[in-house]
Amino acid sequence: MLIPHPLLGARDAQEFTYLGDASLMDRPDPNGPEAEAAFCDYVFLRDNPAGVHRELWFHEQGDRSWLVVTRDTVTHEILGAELARDVKRGAQT
Amino acid sequence: MTFSGLRVVKEALTGHKGWKPLWRNPEPKPSYDVVVVGGGGHGLATAYTLAATYGITNVAVLEKGWLGSGNIGRNTTIIRSNYLLPGNQPFYEFSMKLWERQEQDLNFNSMVSQRGIINLFHTDGQRDAYRRRGNAMHLSGADGRLLTREELREKVPFLNFDNARFPIKGGLMQSRAGTARHDGVAWGYARAADMRGVDIIQNCEVTGFRMEGGRVTGVETTRGTIGAGKVGVAVAGSSSRVMAMAGMRLPIESHVLQAFVSEGLKPTIPGVVTFGAGHFYVSQSDKGGLVFGGDLDGYNSYAQRGGLPTVEDVIEGGMALMPMIGRARLLRSWGGIMDMSMDGSPIIDRTHIDGLYFNGGWCYGGFKATPASGYAFAHLLATDTPHETARAYRFDRFTRGHVIDEKGVGAQPNLH
């Protein structure tokens, strides 16, 4: 698989380490109500869709940036990649 | 129709005209006491045990494709009970004991072959860890023995003992472990369940659950609605997809694991050899092919095929362990979809919905568990209490902090 890195262009997926569902960026508030239940869901439960999946890849053997890659889990087709920090910033504004 | 030596001789003398299909192909009835979703090894073993042990014969097994078309047909056929943790090892030893009597129980040749498994170690630390594991195996009544380097040289002389990075210092051997004929296991369970009245309904995909007042009353399928007193889901690989239809999110990711088989060779590998440090394990099938595999590709997948980098990694592991494998030609490779759970251990439990039960999360260890998984799931469906060897396999172990993490890597499914 080739991952279209937003800064570096197409890079071999072998340069990356896979973490999992991009929802792992949305860490619950540890001081919020029901924080314990929220953290159990956050740590252990996954949507695990067959189809389009947004997921975190770390460019470990490259520029060490985190990417949010959109990929089809049925065909392995990669539909896009963004810098995770841009995704996070976009979610906050 | 029972199998016997006498019958084989009789059929041989009469042109093999008396053999009949091993199971019926019935139309689904309007409703059943228990509907098992998934006609793979675990689902069929569940239906068989419900009928044979718990006397519940008004049972249907629904399979979306053909019988045994999922992971029971795509694995590397290894059976063993060499786990460490108390939540796991008694269950897998129970499974091993069921394997040992399976052919008699089912009256079917599933070619259970106790040719032994050897887990190699390369350092003093690993030797200590395997000694501890061997002791844990003994505590559950299983067998296990540390082999010295000299004993290993006698059993498996072709290994590269003096590899510069991972010199082989010895191994943990379980002699009762081995292999079984994976398709034969599915067929054996299907036939034995069918003979006891279970309806096996193929090409019947479940498309939804029928609920009334928080209770499941049946399933919607591509062949119509089927009522059910209880529904047991055993669809490892597709667990998240099926349980999502009941509104559940699971502690599971689906990952692809590849496996490989070489051309047929003369007998060369006496049992199963695992090289954990190099992501490689191998055995030899009765047809002579070297059957081997390694790690997951490592990303979520439902594709039943993996990528070439993992092929390269596995074969490098093979070359490092046993350079003679380089002379063999690869016949084929394939991928299967694993329910990778958050602690690397399975789930056999009720759900929060009355009448809906779940069996999944087998990671890449489902095949060896087939008999005990079926037994424990049938026990749960029949009695509403967990089987004594499967008490730890609960959904709530994650929230309670009682995870069963053999590898100790945490909630990172692609590392288990």
Side-chain angles (χ1 to χ4, degrees):
Chain A
M1 292 191 295
L2 292 175
I3 293 180
H5 193 296
L7 304 177
L8 303 174
R11 307 300 307 182
D12 193 322
Q14 282 301 97
E15 298 174 4
F16 293 78
T17 303
Y18 181 82
L19 183 69
D21 194 310
S23 67
L24 290 167
M25 289 198 299
D26 308 323
R27 181 183 282 266
D29 176 5
N31 299 314
E34 307 284 333
E36 188 181 339
F39 263 94
C40 283
D41 281 11
Y42 168 78
V43 173
F44 294 119
L45 300 186
R46 301 284 185 275
D47 288 338
N48 193 24
V52 176
H53 189 226
R54 281 164 61 79
E55 54 201 22
L56 288 164
W57 293 73
F58 178 49
H59 200 190
E60 187 167 29
Q61 293 175 61
D63 70 345
R64 303 187 72 78
S65 61
W66 282 95
L67 301 188
V68 174
V69 176
T70 307
R71 190 177 58 93
D72 190 320
T73 60
V74 176
T75 63
H76 295 170
E77 184 188 1
I78 293 181
L79 305 167
E82 305 154 87
L83 288 171
R85 64 166 187 253
D86 291 347
V87 174
K88 189 86 180 170
R89 201 178 293 139
Q92 281 165 352
T93 52
Chain B
M1 181 181 79
T2 55
F3 289 113
S4 66
L6 196 65
R7 190 173 154 104
V8 170
V9 171
K10 183 177 161 236
E11 291 294 341
L13 295 173
T14 54
H16 291 288
K17 292 193 179 102
W19 300 116
K20 298 219 164 45
L22 294 183
W23 54 84
R24 299 164 294 130
N25 234 337
E27 285 299 310
K29 290 194 273 184
S31 77
Y32 294 89
D33 293 343
V34 179
V35 165
V36 176
V37 183
H42 292 218
L44 293 166
T46 302
Y48 161 76
T49 314
L50 277 171
T53 306
Y54 295 97
I56 301 173
T57 56
N58 186 21
V59 175
V61 177
L62 310 184
E63 166 55 46
K64 76 171 172 183
W66 67 92
L67 188 149
S69 55
N71 289 335
I72 190 77
R74 306 180 79 83
N75 59 74
T76 48
T77 78
I78 295 165
I79 60 176
R80 58 187 173 89
S81 60
N82 56 356
Y83 282 69
L84 172 69
L85 297 177
N88 272 333
Q89 176 58 15
F91 173 84
Y92 286 103
E93 176 54 20
F94 176 54
S95 202
M96 198 66 231
K97 289 195 170 73
L98 292 175
W99 281 114
E100 286 176 323
R101 46 177 252 220
Q102 182 182 69
E103 292 171 352
Q104 288 72 37
D105 282 352
L106 302 182
N107 177 239
F108 197 85
N109 184 7
S110 47
M111 296 166 70
V112 173
S113 170
Q114 293 179 289
R115 53 185 77 178
I117 188 170
I118 297 170
N119 306 125
L120 301 173
F121 56 76
H122 315 278
T123 65
D124 288 346
Q126 282 182 316
R127 178 189 284 113
D128 289 347
Y130 274 134
R131 178 170 285 137
R132 180 182 174 209
R133 179 179 292 259
N135 286 334
M137 289 156 62
H138 287 191
L139 285 175
S140 75
D143 62 308
R145 194 162 72 84
L146 278 191
L147 298 182
T148 64
R149 198 174 146 98
E150 289 65 40
E151 286 173 298
L152 266 183
R153 274 193 190 278
E154 239 168 70
K155 285 184 192 298
V156 277
F158 49 82
L159 297 185
N160 180 10
F161 282 83
D162 300 312
N163 181 298
R165 176 65 184 86
F166 294 115
I168 295 168
K169 301 292 189 186
L172 173 64
M173 178 158 189
Q174 184 183 26
S175 302
R176 288 162 61 243
T179 58
R181 175 82 179 92
H182 57 149
D183 293 319
V185 173
W187 300 333
Y189 276 120
R191 171 176 165 275
D194 179 85
M195 283 168 68
R196 286 163 178 81
V198 171
D199 281 358
I200 297 165
I201 300 162
Q202 303 178 70
N203 300 308
C204 179
E205 183 172 356
V206 169
T207 54
F209 295 97
R210 280 180 64 192
M211 312 268 186
E212 274 171 36
R215 188 184 166 80
V216 71
T217 57
V219 289
E220 306 287 349
T221 77
T222 50
R223 296 179 65 174
T225 302
I226 301 174
K230 291 177 176 176
V231 176
V233 176
V235 295
S238 299
S239 293
S240 297
R241 279 199 277 186
V242 172
M243 298 312 279
M245 292 190 275
M248 290 180 69
R249 293 174 80 216
L250 301 181
I252 286 171
E253 285 179 6
S254 295
H255 284 260
V256 60
L257 178 70
Q258 299 191 63
F260 309 84
V261 64
S262 78
E263 60 189 329
L265 303 168
K266 289 190 174 178
T268 178
I269 299 180
V272 185
V273 180
T274 79
F275 175 38
H279 312 161
F280 179 80
Y281 66 93
V282 62
S283 66
Q284 189 167 19
S285 79
D286 291 325
K287 278 195 289 190
L290 303 182
V291 183
F292 56 96
D295 269 356
L296 299 170
D297 276 43
Y299 43 81
N300 286 40
S301 173
Y302 283 92
Q304 289 196 325
R305 60 182 167 76
L308 287 172
T310 305
V311 177
E312 191 175 19
D313 182 59
V314 170
I315 290 176
E316 280 173 356
M319 286 300 292
L321 179 71
M322 40 187 285
M324 72 174 182
I325 204 173
R327 303 291 297 274
R329 278 170 295 195
L330 194 64
L331 195 61
R332 61 179 178 269
S333 70
W334 65 96
I337 302 306
M338 312 290 119
D339 265 13
M340 295 305 298
S341 70
M342 288 291 156
D343 61 356
S345 295
I347 296 161
I348 303 175
D349 200 0
R350 289 178 285 199
T351 67
H352 69 282
I353 298 163
D354 277 348
L356 182 61
Y357 300 76
F358 177 75
N359 175 335
W362 290 98
C363 300
Y364 36 76
F367 180 70
K368 74 178 88 67
T370 305
S373 166
Y375 202 104
F377 200 35
H379 182 94
L380 178 71
L381 283 160
T383 68
D384 264 318
T385 55
H387 187 261
E388 59 176 345
T389 61
R391 281 188 194 133
Y393 296 154
R394 296 162 54 151
F395 271 115
D396 69 358
R397 68 174 186 262
F398 298 100
T399 50
R400 291 183 305 123
H402 290 187
V403 293
I404 316 165
D405 190 343
E406 289 271 341
K407 264 174 120 178
V409 296
Q412 188 60 42
N414 60 353
L415 299 183
H416 282 294

